[in-house]
Amino acid sequence: MPRISYHILHGLIRLVCALPYRAALAWGRGLGSLAWVFDPFHRKVVEIQMRAALGDAYRPGMSRDVFKHHGDILIDAVRYAYLDDESIRRKVTVVGREHLQAALATGRGIMLITGHLGNWEILAHIPRLLGVEFCVMADTRRDPEHESIVDELRQRSGATILPPKGKALMLIRELKRGRTIGFVVDNRGDRKSGIFCPVFGLPALTNPAPGVIALKGDALIVPVAAIKERGAYTLTFEPALDVRACKNDPIQEISNWMQAWVESVVRRCPVQWFWLYSRWIRRSEMRRIIKSGRDFKKSVLELNGAREAPRTRT
């Protein structure tokens, strides 16, 4: 069975590459719309979290757009992997390049941070777009054949992909050598090692690893997001945070700053965040809230002990 699904995936990749772009995109968005209809749990997760986070900015139909956007992510992750360097440069606009160049000019290690925003897979093409080499940790799949397909797509980007476990020391060494690494920073932490950061005014258990690695690696932290606008991507780099400036509880301060930046991007393009992921609480806790109909905000405050760190601004 795994071998059959491997050949199916290979066939779908070839189909996505062979179809005219608009047809491929329509197919991907159609899959997203079907998922919105036939996956009621994740549809409710999206709607509950968007309402709580966005308040009056939430509009009916946004949840369907979130699912359709994931169709864009799927299609573009495949299509961009098979573009040549010149073609991908034509399709991606880079804004704020001077912030990255200023950080590179210091000779210190740089942590490029992003969230599950826009299409984070496009950021793996930074070596092809800007000639800047970097390494990044990525999740691996249990099935080696499926993993080989994803690995092939990611290797085409030019970034060095590391497995997610046991590589923190390697990343710290890279930073101390003045090199560049990438990190997705909006993952929920575990109850033992996670810290609480404010995200849309609610305490969210957050993985402290990016902050720890940046601090120990004496890094400059440069935020970057790849947001889709009018059918193409805009890569936007923001001014760097120097970890040396974080003196009082630096891990908390760095983590708050990272989450505040993610929130600022989400507010500008709300349907391009990974709302399907239960950001504030565990999936099992979300299931209980959906089943009982309890108020989401009150439940988050109760479950997370009403802990909320002071907000820092980007």
Side-chain angles (χ1 to χ4, degrees), residues 30-185:
L31 288 178
S33 294
L34 285 174
W36 182 84
V37 172
F38 292 106
D39 186 354
F41 170 70
H42 284 103
R43 183 176 68 244
K44 290 174 183 176
V45 169
V46 171
E47 290 171 349
I48 287 170
Q49 294 189 129
M50 290 189 88
R51 284 196 186 99
L54 301 177
D56 292 340
Y58 175 78
R59 296 287 182 273
M62 275 186 167
S63 65
R64 185 191 289 268
D65 289 340
V66 169
F67 278 80
K68 289 167 67 176
H69 174 68
H70 283 280
D72 282 39
I73 292 174
L74 171 65
I75 298 303
D76 290 338
V78 173
R79 297 281 295 222
Y80 278 62
Y82 286 90
L83 290 175
D84 58 52
D85 292 358
E86 184 179 346
S87 296
I88 202 170
R89 290 190 190 108
R90 286 199 303 266
K91 287 182 173 291
V92 178
T93 301
V94 179
V95 175
R97 189 185 310 224
E98 67 274 12
H99 301 308
L100 176 61
Q101 290 175 336
L104 289 169
T106 67
R108 289 170 58 190
I110 298 169
M111 176 183 279
L112 294 176
I113 65 163
T114 195
H116 291 92
L117 300 159
N119 192 335
W120 52 95
E121 296 289 350
I122 299 298
L123 296 176
H125 295 278
I126 286 176
R128 300 170 65 196
L129 288 162
L130 301 174
V132 177
E133 295 184 2
F134 75 102
C135 61
V136 62
M137 292 193 299
D139 292 334
T140 56
R141 286 141 195 84
R142 293 181 181 179
D143 188 316
E145 292 190 328
H146 289 178
E147 177 61 24
S148 69
I149 293 174
V150 176
D151 191 49
E152 179 188 353
L153 292 174
R154 285 176 168 165
Q155 283 184 359
R156 287 177 170 273
S157 68
T160 300
I161 308 298
L162 303 175
K165 293 183 179 179
K167 298 300 179 182
L169 291 177
M170 183 181 294
L171 293 176
I172 292 169
R173 285 193 217 104
E174 289 291 296
L175 289 172
K176 288 183 175 179
R177 289 169 181 162
R179 294 173 181 164
T180 302
I181 69 171
F183 225 110
V184 177
V185 299

Side-chain angles (χ1 to χ4, degrees), residues 192-206:
K192 291 183 179 180
S193 62
I195 60 176
F196 284 91
C197 297
V199 179
F200 288 95
L202 291 171
L205 196 59
T206 300

